[in-house]
Amino acid sequence: LTFRPAKKYAAIIMNPPFSAGAAHLLKALEIMKDGGKIRCLLNAETIRNPYTNERKELAQKLNELNAQINTSRTLSRTPAAPPALKLR
């Protein structure tokens, strides 16, 4: 989370620790180029239950970016499959 790139990225693929997923995704949004794309596996509760200020900020930014969020459990055979986020 302290990474400071010299340039912004057009594409980011990530699987952050579920306990800090919101912070990692917010950082990815910060280092993404305008029009860039992010694919992220994230704990579903991070999206479904924005009870912290950090999660509220994330929800607001995802809404502003019209992020496509897939919370379908078809991505995995496990009953608690994480949502997949796709930003365009």
Side-chain angles (χ1 to χ4, degrees):
L1 297 174
T2 58
F3 177 61
R4 297 195 194 293
K7 62 178 184 171
K8 294 202 173 199
Y9 294 91
I12 299 171
I13 299 172
M14 56 191 297
N15 183 7
F18 283 180
S19 62
H24 284 266
L25 185 51
L26 284 167
K27 181 65 174 185
L29 292 170
E30 178 184 314
I31 64 172
M32 178 185 73
K33 277 185 181 179
D34 288 342
K37 295 182 180 185
I38 297 176
R39 298 292 169 107
C40 178
L41 294 177
L42 195 65
N43 181 343
E45 286 302 303
T46 301
I47 301 298
R48 291 185 189 141
N49 189 6
Y51 67 91
T52 65
N53 288 336
E54 185 175 62
R55 287 183 180 186
K56 288 174 186 173
E57 178 185 359
L58 177 61
Q60 179 182 354
K61 287 186 178 192
L62 293 175
N63 188 48
E64 290 170 2
L65 292 167
N66 296 316
Q68 295 178 1
I69 302 171
N70 180 353
T71 58
S72 168
R73 293 182 180 186
T74 60
L75 296 174
S76 171
R77 293 184 183 155
T78 62
L85 302 174
K86 178 181 176 185
L87 300 179
R88 291 185 181 187

